[in-house]
Amino acid sequence: MVEERNNGGKGWVGASLPRKEEDRLLRGRGKFAEDIKLREMLYLRFVRSPYAHARILSIDASAAEALPGVACVITGKEIAAETQPFIEIGPDHAQKIRDFPMAVDKAIYQGEPVAAVVAESPGIAEDAAEMVNVEYEALEPVVEAEEALTDRSVLHEAAGTNRVWNGVWEYGDVEQAFKDAAYVVNIDRLHFHRFSSTPLENNVIIGEWNPKDDRIYYGCNNSFPSFAIQFLAAHLKVHIDKIRVQTFDIGGSFGIKITSYPQMAVCALASKKAGGRPVKWVETRSEHMVASAHGNERTFRNTRVALDKNGVITAIDSKHIDDCGAYPRYEPLGCVIWSQVFCGVYRFKNARIDFWQAVTNKCPVGPNRGYSRMQHLWFLERVIDICAHEIGIAADEIRLRNYIRPEEFPYTTPNGCVYDSGNYPKMLEVAKGLIGWDEWRKKQIDAQHEGRMIGIGIGTTLDSGTNNFGQSQIINPYAPFSGNSQGANCKLDIYGEVVVAVGSCPQGQGHETTAAQVVADVLNIHPDLITVRTGFDTERNVHTGMSGTYASQFAVSGLSAVHGAAQKLKTEMKRLAAFLLETNEDELAFGVGEQGPEIKANATGKSINYWGLANIVNVNSAVLPESLYDVTLNCRYVWRAPFKVPDTKAKYGSLTLTYASQLHIAVVEVDRETFVPKIIDYVAVDDCGTVINPPIVEGQVYGATAHGIGAALMETCVYDEVGNMLTSTFSDYTPITSMNIPKIKYGHTSTPSPHSYSGAKGMGEGGAAPIHTISSALQDALFAHGIVINDSFNNADSIFRALKAHDGGQRAELVKLERKQASSAK
Amino acid sequence: MPENIAPQKLDVTIRINGKTYARKIEPRTLLVEFLREACDLTGTHVGCDTTYCGACTVLMNNLAVKSCTVFAVQADGADIITVEGLEKNGKLHPIQKAFGDSYGLQCGYCTPGLMLATHQLLAENPEPDEKQIRKAIAGNTCRCTGYVNVFKAIELAGRNMKGASVGD
Ligand code: FES
Ligand code: FES
């Protein structure tokens, strides 16, 4: 049984090991933040602005405060008086934005907290919150980024403008490329919509600021705690060591839970005001929809694409406007993170991207699965498909002509990123094989004769993982961040148990399992003999300032840290065992004997088990010679990604370590009567290098695929013109269900990464392949009707409008093809 | 004024996983709150506030219900099975085992609800086809798995339980 799972004797890495997390979760014994009750716990409820933009004239909390069971009410003004505004990452005027966890003088998005009520029960808190009387003066809202940039109505008066950031990325000789082009395609406007991956578990925070020891405790489900404490310590004006953050099982995050630190601040401050009793906030789904975080919305204007006579792109020139909602917070990092995939999977060398970001009166954005890269990758896939249709080249053919070639890896992009490995033509071949490409092309033609609208689309995408925080200096040269690191600890406990702790905070990615697989291979024991701690805890003292779970990197940063710590432990164990067994370090065998895991001397057959080793170091140390006093069997290792600070002026340098890729193909039919788009066949092929645990990887691919399909066809955050959010419940937002997920054919290719010790690449975000793919398929279905897909969200309604509103389609208004006879004749 | 909104408390007795729980509660208490807060059975979860997600699904008198949409007083005298009641003497129920074996969960937040929805499906239809499986869990949102492995888990559970009653 053991041998079977042991990956054909090759080791535990690569084996389809069942997850260690499963047992407790299946029995209903998972421990989620909401399950935690502390002594004397109080419950917090926010009072939120119904307006997207309004001055707060007065807050009358007297009725709420008088309700029996109410401990206190806290307002934004009070918080502003005793805290520092949150750190702003942006430069210059963006530094002047005053961001507090609750509105102070005015509310700038619907749902922004203006006060918080703390009471003995959730019910009382809810009742009391309704009794807080807030008087507002409505101000003019701006809900579109392009409009916000006109500064007609300014959100942050201290900053004086709605522009958060702008900068130009320019490489090669763009103008020359346009002069030499055989074709120039102009695309007026493309738009990537706002959506959220909405983890099923909402945000939960327990905060306790105890006057006894003046320490702050958090039990919560934040997914990037080491980032949160850096923001919180400065904001709350406390020593960072005073803040303890603990996470447990987390019911999904997809990046959204990175941005719960403002609510964490409120819980601590409310606890302080309530005399140090712990304060629990459990977000409702409606609160989550309106006021947690959404993904970035982006508009692409005045795009010009130069191509040679074969349809090979030679240059792209475009203006991109990102909408980050009311506060930049984790932004403006999104203004640079897209450039990790600057050229996508394509070879063009000349490009000019003029990038802008604006605040609007909408919920602040956060790093949602595929963060900032998916918007750009969708843009590039739209460019490819639109050019293909305009020039008359098939979607697969134009990609093959433009893909980076397998022999070109490691490939340096125009902006200095190094793509570690990949083979896109092979993925296309595998995907075409799985879907039955030629068959479908035939069926499509037959269907067209019958008047049906069937399209076949391709999406090629990248999932860049383990980022170089030095890219923040492209945004702000004074940003004190660069590189990337993760910490892990591997020890033999006093009785010899192998215990591993990592600075990640997983939400279902199986870190306990994969970490155990890595350590099992180092020590040559079964993964069941290894305990991996659940969740994150600052007091385990393993984390670095970049610890957390985000940006597709655990297989690289997390497991490299675990591997390093296990190696370090092994080295110490060897030194100790060599002394005790009176032999050389290189004549020892690690394995499992009659008395459990042990080390054996090859020559004598004498052995010592882990209990024996741990005993001597921990409770029997008089036996130790002084030369072994440095052996602790408690080994922390910090793994660092080998990055340099990028050249911030030239915007050039390596921004990410690994590039997993995905290639999807979809066949979509638009119903002739209802205009409902329906996926009738679907293939997902992924390549994330060496796979640590195949079913876990497959599960991530399916999950990311469902998010992408949901986002492409069902999930969108809709605001009306005055900033009311119209999709504020699950019933309005309609997350994808079992009825909407097509059958997915799964394929896998592997190009091991030369950038990680195991050849693995970070994966999990998936690069939003389905959004690209479905846009591509819809355009294929509708191009004959004059439709170009210019939005990442499409449903029956939008397709109906596009088909009916424009006689002959909107293509004529949106896209212009210039054919340069002279050069195309060459 | 504050006093007169303080609600009067009601006595409610519910059998949960074979055990009787008698509690005094506010009338507005939802069944899911009763389970989680009054009885400390935290395996049942809450994911939404519009009866969409099914994270709160339990069996009430053998029918799968969304416990966020039932008042605890409506369940007075009822027989409830929650995820904690699926295992028998420490042994996983075949549905639990099938979810584990099929990698039918990631974060596990939706899983209790999904398993109880599965329980009702298999009680009514021991050999559901894919369409029937999809329909049976249409009211259970899972944000992690994309449902693919959940379908496999339900199919496997059905196969493994052939002949046995779901209650076993
Ligand atoms: S919590 Fe009951 S349906 Fe969502
Ligand atoms: S496993 Fe996370 S929501 Fe289903």
Side-chain angles (χ1 to χ4, degrees), chain A residues 17 19 26-27 29 35 37 68 127 131 197-198 285-286 507 699 703 707 715 731 735-736 738 741 743, chain B residues 1-2 28 36-37 47-50 52 87 90 96 103 105-107 115 130 134 138 141 143-144 146-147:
Chain A
L17 190 71
R19 299 196 320 162
L26 288 169
R27 292 177 194 269
R29 291 191 204 148
D35 303 341
K37 268 188 192 168
D127 293 341
M131 298 163 113
S197 293
T198 57
R285 176 55 59 187
S286 308
Q507 316 113 27
H707 277 186
E715 303 178 27
S731 304
I736 189 164
S738 58
I741 186 90
K743 262 200 173 50
Chain B
M1 169 234 166
R28 65 175 162 182
R36 292 184 51 86
E37 302 303 325
C48 74
D49 38 24
T50 51
Y52 187 92
E87 61 184 83
Q96 290 173 305
Y103 291 79
L105 61 153
Q106 287 179 27
C107 78
M115 293 193 299
E130 199 199 291
R134 285 173 180 262
T141 304
R143 279 316 246 168
C144 300
Y147 306 99

Side-chain angles (χ1 to χ4, degrees), chain A residues 501-547:
Chain A
V502 204
S504 68
C505 42
Q507 316 113 27
Q509 299 93 336
H511 292 185
E512 290 170 47
T513 309
T514 49
Q517 287 176 269
V518 166
V519 178
D521 277 349
V522 172
L523 298 178
N524 193 29
I525 59 176
H526 194 285
D528 283 353
L529 294 168
I530 295 157
T531 301
V532 182
R533 294 256 177 261
T534 302
F536 176 100
D537 189 345
T538 43
E539 295 209 340
R540 282 183 202 143
N541 209 23
V542 295
H543 65 285
T544 72
M546 287 156 184
S547 290

